[in-house]
Amino acid sequence: MFADAAKATGLRVLVSRAGGTPAPASSVLAVMAIGAQQGDEIVLSVAGPGAERVADDLAALVARDLDEE
């Protein structure tokens, strides 16, 4: 879901665990490889037009408790 949303933006979106190496957020395998677990702090980096809005939207998606939905 997160990787699909990142890819759909058409922007360069990177994600990492705090202090880790950034990975392309549009790749499910790359996102899984960063090893983030529930409760971990992650860092999003978005480049391009509307980057701030996209970063906010993706952060909100990550913050949702999908188990509760």
Side-chain angles (χ1 to χ4, degrees):
M1 180 182 250
F2 173 75
D4 289 338
K7 187 174 190 173
T9 69
L11 301 179
R12 182 171 184 232
V13 181
L14 300 176
V15 62
S16 67
R17 284 180 36 186
T21 302
S26 59
S27 166
V28 173
L29 292 177
V31 171
M32 290 174 57
I34 69 170
Q37 307 228 353
Q38 185 173 3
D40 286 351
E41 181 180 340
I42 64 166
V43 177
L44 290 173
S45 172
V46 183
E52 187 173 334
R53 180 190 54 78
V54 168
D56 289 344
D57 291 347
L58 290 173
L61 178 62
V62 169
R64 286 175 40 198
D65 186 352
L66 298 176
D67 291 333
E68 293 294 320
E69 294 184 14

